[in-house]
Amino acid sequence: MDVSKIRWSSTEYSLKGFVNKFQDSFPKIIKVTVGFLGRQESDSISSSTLLRVHSLYSQERAVVESKSGKVLSLPTKLTSMTFFIISQSGAREGPFTLLEIEEAFTLPVKIQPTTALTVQESSSSRSPGQNLDSLTFTQSYQESFLLGHCLNSKGTLLEQVPLVLPMYMKEVRLVLAEGLEGENEEQWEAICSAYNERIRELGHMDHFIFQGITLLENKELITPQNLYADIEPIYMDLKKQGDTFSLYCSLDKPVSPPEVPAWPLTLKPQIPAKPQPLPKPTSPFQEPISPLQKPTSPFQEPISPLQEPELSTYRSLAEVPQDLHSLSIREVCDCLLLLNLGNYTQAFLQEQIDGDLLYELDHIHMRDTLGMSSLHITKLLRFRQGWRPRVEPDAKV
């Protein structure tokens, strides 16, 4: 399908407005017209992103407070973590899952993880970790997400990249696909039916489990009108007994662990599956490599010392379209050169990163596979979302 032929609604919707009007008639195809830049690079969505929204996914989450006053949000159906109940006398009872605690005890209740846990802000190796020993399970709440898949510029469903869009992204605006130009309703219905059939073949959307651990900032909780589900959280990583505690957004059946963890566009788990054509790592755990350190992993093969490519299509940033999906590999490299990121062009050429794949890269891919610094990652992510540097008219950019 040529997505440029899609006829879009003249009305823009917020996420909540879209849900309120169309949740009874999902699935729907939408285009993001105003994106969202979260406080973390992984918690963002770009304008011009095309999505097939399958359903409204609702999840019960537990509000857990640490001794230091940090407020965490965890899924109550998280079975990979268990806790002891701590009585006033200090006696321990259990272990229980969060859901079992909620069903059997009156909240609030003091709990303790059965295995020593530490929590650290995701994608931030410099943020200090904190031990989670004594906690208080205070209450639970419902959070809703839009659940679906991205479409690339050719209308292909990106099956290995399921996504969730949380309702706290209030700035997001979107338009609805109403058909194809030329009133070709039969062709449009055939396309939608093909998407529906493919999702049925995948057969795993009904088993979606989002297991993100988030930190809710106290200053936002103080505001009376703020509901937990309306607060933009900070995504956290957990470690158990010194090892990374893998928290998947699993699309496999609940009885078996996911072989390929599916990560959403906005809420990425600790160890994402690398989208093709990126090479497959030999180990699921990839330690960050310093720019001054020679890579040793086969996933980090040294790049041959080729000359930096010259500009091929675009001579200035003003010529680059806002929507980068249709860019070729060399045109993506043009953008890098114009952004003064030319030292990464060989890595992008080697990994064959075109405009479509550029939108699938996250902070971990850019840092660990492409060797980009944090500042340069932020710069490229902002550029992908439509930011352009303000330069003097006579500057050569």
Side-chain angles (χ1 to χ4, degrees):
M1 176 181 65
D2 183 357
V3 298
S4 66
K5 302 297 183 182
I6 295 178
R7 185 177 71 253
W8 300 101
S9 66
S10 58
T11 303
E12 277 190 328
Y13 300 94
S14 65
L15 288 179
K16 288 189 176 180
F18 172 72
V19 168
N20 291 338
K21 187 167 185 177
F22 298 107
Q23 63 176 318
D24 294 331
S25 58
F26 287 158
K28 296 290 185 183
I29 295 175
I30 63 173
K31 178 171 69 173
V32 176
T33 54
V34 178
F36 178 84
L37 180 63
R39 288 178 288 188
Q40 294 166 291
E41 289 89 349
S42 58
D43 181 28
S44 302
I45 185 168
S46 302
S47 61
S48 75
T49 301
L50 301 181
L51 316 171
R52 182 191 184 272
V53 176
H54 310 313
S55 61
L56 182 67
Y57 170 71
S58 184
Q59 179 186 73
E60 185 180 56
R61 298 181 67 84
V63 179
V64 178
E65 186 171 345
S66 70
K67 287 193 302 184
S68 64
K70 291 186 180 297
V71 180
L72 298 172
S73 171
L74 299 83
T76 58
K77 291 186 178 180
L78 190 65
T79 58
S80 49
M81 289 172 52
T82 55
F83 301 84
F84 294 116
I85 296 293
I86 308 300
S87 67
Q88 292 183 350
S89 63
R92 299 194 305 183
E93 182 180 352
F96 304 99
T97 65
L98 288 172
L99 186 59
E100 291 170 339
I101 293 173
E102 183 186 31
E103 293 175 345
F105 296 88
T106 301
L107 302 181
V109 62
K110 290 187 177 180
I111 61 176
Q112 184 180 62
T114 55
T115 304
L117 298 175
T118 59
V119 64
Q120 184 179 37
E121 184 176 335
S122 297
S123 304
S124 179
S125 57
R126 295 181 179 179
S127 64
Q130 179 182 343
N131 294 328
L132 296 181
D133 43 15
S134 179
L135 303 168
T136 302
F137 184 177
T138 60
Q139 60 180 297
S140 62
Y141 68 99
Q142 291 289 330
E143 184 163 8
S144 296
F145 311 86
L146 287 178
L147 176 61
H149 284 81
C150 287
L151 300 173
N152 66 14
S153 59
K154 298 178 181 178
T156 303
L157 197 70
L158 303 180
E159 299 169 2
Q160 292 189 343
V161 191
L163 61 91
V164 291
L165 280 181
M167 293 297 107
Y168 63 73
M169 293 184 172
K170 300 180 181 68
E171 294 86 349
V172 169
R173 295 293 180 270
L174 55 90
V175 290
L176 177 69
E178 297 181 334
L180 295 174
E181 294 179 357
E183 304 296 333
N184 194 338
E185 295 303 325
E186 290 185 2
Q187 184 181 358
W188 177 249
E189 290 179 3
I191 291 171
C192 293
S193 297
Y195 287 143
N196 296 342
E197 180 61 28
R198 183 54 188 156
I199 293 300
R200 281 193 292 268
E201 290 174 1
L202 293 176
H204 55 214
M205 294 306 293
D206 292 337
H207 302 294
F208 183 84
I209 303 171
F210 173 59
Q211 297 189 159
I213 307 297
T214 59
L215 173 69
L216 305 175
E217 289 195 323
N218 288 338
K219 63 182 180 182
E220 296 193 51
L221 296 174
I222 294 173
T223 307
Q225 65 268 25
N226 272 351
L227 302 175
Y228 288 110
D230 292 334
I231 297 173
E232 179 188 348
I234 299 173
Y235 293 92
M236 310 297 288
D237 295 332
L238 285 183
K239 291 186 178 181
K240 179 171 63 175
Q241 292 182 333
D243 294 325
T244 301
F245 186 76
S246 302
L247 297 171
Y248 297 111
C249 298
S250 170
L251 295 185
D252 283 341
K253 294 182 179 179
V255 294
S256 60
E259 295 180 359
V260 181
W263 43 268
L265 181 68
T266 60
L267 312 176
K268 297 181 175 63
Q270 177 68 11
I271 311 170
K274 305 296 191 251
Q276 293 299 324
L278 293 176
K280 184 178 180 181
T282 56
S283 167
F285 299 99
Q286 187 69 40
E287 291 296 329
I289 294 181
S290 166
L292 303 178
Q293 178 182 354
K294 184 177 180 180
T296 56
S297 165
F299 189 47
Q300 295 278 341
E301 285 295 329
I303 298 171
S304 58
L306 302 177
Q307 290 185 345
E308 186 176 289
E310 297 180 355
L311 295 171
S312 61
T313 301
Y314 303 117
R315 300 293 173 178
S316 72
L317 288 174
E319 300 175 10
V320 180
Q322 290 288 313
D323 185 353
L324 308 176
H325 282 89
S326 62
L327 268 59
S328 68
I329 299 171
R330 293 305 296 267
E331 288 170 341
V332 170
C333 289
D334 280 356
C335 296
L336 295 177
L337 292 169
L338 292 168
L339 290 168
N340 293 332
L341 302 177
N343 52 316
Y344 302 114
T345 55
Q346 291 303 327
F348 275 66
L349 286 170
Q350 178 174 299
E351 304 298 352
Q352 298 180 311
I353 297 173
D354 61 7
D356 268 337
L357 188 56
L358 180 64
Y359 280 90
E360 307 309 323
L361 299 181
D362 64 10
H363 185 281
I364 297 175
H365 294 146
M366 294 181 183
R367 182 193 66 193
D368 294 351
T369 306
L370 302 172
M372 298 181 70
S373 69
S374 295
L375 174 62
H376 291 164
I377 290 171
T378 300
K379 190 175 183 180
L380 186 56
L381 288 172
R382 290 292 304 275
F383 179 77
R384 190 176 69 181
Q385 293 173 330
W387 167 82
R388 299 294 184 266
R390 299 184 182 90
V391 297
E392 298 299 328
D394 58 345
K396 295 182 179 180
V397 178

